[in-house]
Amino acid sequence: MRHYTISVIPGDGIGPEVIAEAKKVLEATGRVFDFRCEWIEFPFGAEHYLATGKVVDDEALRRIAETDAILLGALGDPRVSERVTLGGIVLKLRTYFDQYVNLRPVKLLRGADTPLRDKTAADINFYVVRENTEDLYSGVGGRVREGEATIHGAMHRRLYSAYFDVSVRVEPQEELAYQIGVLSRRGCERVIRYAFELARRKGLKRVTGVDKVNAMPDIYEFWRECFERVARDYPDIEYEYNLVDAVTMWFIRRPEHYQVVVAPNLFGDIITDLGAAIQGGMGLAPGANINPEGLSMFEPIHGSAPRYKGQQKANPMAAVLAGAMMMEHLGEVDAAQAIEQAVEQVLQYGPRTYDLGGNALTYQVGDAIAEQVRANTK
Ligand code: IPM
Ligand code: MG
């Protein structure tokens, strides 16, 4: 029997409910495929912060670093600033473990309903590779009130540290806010390379780079230069560039065109919510924060939906599918496939949660998926 140690951070809102179902399905799958997950639970989230003042600290990072992967629910609670719950937990983990790839499959599963008329599972099946540590997420920002000032900023990454000193003079009565987007050459090239490698591995033929070079040439001409350098190593794969605004249109009009899409952090964030919508909703979209050389983290891409907390209304499928991505990453490819297949079957014949037009409870959908995994392998 194979053994995996998994850090689990259920988080806020509906996070704990959907993570409970993901664990249930992984346990059922492990019994069939001969592996066992040991869960190391971490209480990080708004509640824990309100009680202790703590977010992910060095001690937790050390313990998490010893595990095989992280399974994360969702963070965010109206009582606590997002600087704390997101900045101190999700974004902190992504940057600390240098999970520079955010892999988000946009796949319309059989049984899921896309809002796109005339599109089927054959049309909606591609990957978005989102850069996950740089760009507008560099964390360098602030405000300047009237007068003269030097603004300072620093960002620390595994690849580099960058320090900013910018002089500004702000007219009386005026006030500025700024957020600096930073790309590094190695940071871009490694994620673009991942996209090309993914295309090769999956037998796909085209990589689409996303940017906004027309309006922000300083940062995105640089992105394209990095892209060109990497693309040279992959003569077997064609590539193209799309502006991000155009991508939001083409994902809807011609999703079948896309195979692997690689985007800077913020645009990748935005277009993957759109991707989730065309694959049937946020309740069906998983994501993986990957460090190919290190520790990776798997999460549904939806938020914590605090209004639904504790009601067993949320769809656990995105979290379950995130669990499947985790097992695939750990080498349990058959198990991952079995989970995805079971989700498809439940989507076709089984109970549905509220978001999919049903009234089944979260745990009932989790039970149905777990049962389906068992039934398929009998
Ligand atoms: C996501 C989310 C996060 C992000 C938020 C919660 C910080 O929107 O994973 O897509 O912007 O990356
Ligand atoms: Mg998002």
Side-chain angles (χ1 to χ4, degrees), residues 196-215:
F196 276 92
E197 287 293 329
L198 178 70
R200 239 185 214 170
R201 196 162 72 238
K202 301 282 181 183
L204 300 170
K205 288 276 154 270
R206 183 186 309 116
V207 175
T208 305
V210 172
D211 58 52
K212 186 67 189 170
V213 77
N214 51 352

Side-chain angles (χ1 to χ4, degrees), residues 16 26 44 46 55 68 87 92 127 174 186 199 201 206 209-210 228 230 251 254 263 273 304 315 322 339 357:
L26 290 173
F44 298 116
V55 286
D68 296 314
K92 179 157 184 181
Y127 294 93
E174 194 46 275
R186 277 189 296 157
R201 196 162 72 238
R206 183 186 309 116
V210 172
E228 294 291 327
V230 174
F251 271 14
R254 207 158 52 116
D273 269 26
S304 59
N315 188 347
I339 294 171

Side-chain angles (χ1 to χ4, degrees), residues 58-294:
D58 291 349
E59 149 76 10
L61 290 171
R62 267 197 302 279
R63 289 177 55 207
I64 292 170
E66 284 167 11
T67 61
D68 296 314
I70 308 169
L71 184 62
L72 181 111
L75 275 305
D77 180 299
R79 295 168 299 168
V80 178
S81 160
E82 304 206 314
R83 285 179 190 264
V84 173
T85 47
L86 302 180
I89 302 171
V90 187
L91 300 176
K92 179 157 184 181
L93 290 165
R94 287 179 185 168
T95 48
Y96 179 82
F97 290 109
D98 202 21
Q99 293 159 346
Y100 61 87
V101 173
N102 195 325
L103 179 62
R104 297 182 163 184
V106 178
K107 181 173 185 183
L108 180 64
L109 297 180
R110 276 189 298 269
D113 306 311
T114 179
L116 302 185
R117 180 162 43 87
D118 304 335
K119 299 293 180 194
T120 66
D123 301 310
I124 303 173
N125 188 7
F126 59 92
Y127 294 93
V128 176
V129 174
R130 166 186 173 188
E131 199 289 321
N132 213 25
T133 62
E134 304 194 322
D135 192 49
L136 265 297
Y137 282 65
S138 66
V140 180
R143 290 179 179 217
V144 190
R145 294 214 167 72
E146 66 175 69
E148 292 201 31
T150 306
I151 56 182
H152 303 283
M155 61 183 287
H156 304 284
R157 294 291 183 267
R158 289 276 168 100
L159 286 178
Y160 60 90
S161 292
Y163 300 89
F164 301 86
D165 282 320
V166 183
S167 299
V168 282
R169 194 170 69 228
V170 182
E171 305 302 328
Q173 312 299 325
E174 194 46 275
E175 185 177 355
L176 300 185
Y178 62 96
Q179 192 87 47
I180 297 182
V182 183
L183 294 182
S184 70
R185 177 168 166 165
R186 277 189 296 157
C188 293
E189 288 184 4
R190 64 182 183 173
V191 75
I192 294 165
R193 187 169 297 284
Y194 183 92
F196 276 92
E197 287 293 329
L198 178 70
R200 239 185 214 170
R201 196 162 72 238
K202 301 282 181 183
L204 300 170
K205 288 276 154 270
R206 183 186 309 116
V207 175
T208 305
V210 172
D211 58 52
K212 186 67 189 170
V213 77
N214 51 352
M216 288 177 257
D218 289 319
I219 189 164
Y220 297 122
E221 273 174 8
F222 181 84
W223 166 262
R224 286 198 186 188
E225 286 165 24
C226 295
F227 201 105
E228 294 291 327
R229 274 193 297 273
V230 174
R232 260 181 242 140
D233 294 338
Y234 300 85
D236 49 321
I237 294 170
E238 63 178 89
Y239 67 91
E240 62 179 0
Y241 301 113
N242 280 183
L243 297 173
V244 65
D245 45 350
V247 156
T248 64
M249 175 188 63
W250 290 117
F251 271 14
I252 288 179
R253 299 193 61 157
R254 207 158 52 116
E256 65 277 13
H257 172 77
Y258 294 101
Q259 301 191 352
V260 175
V261 176
V262 56
N265 207 338
L266 180 62
F267 298 152
D269 174 48
I270 296 167
I271 65 176
T272 50
D273 269 26
L274 177 59
I278 66 174
Q279 74 190 99
M282 297 298 284
L284 293 173
N289 303 276
I290 298 174
N291 177 339
E293 298 89 38

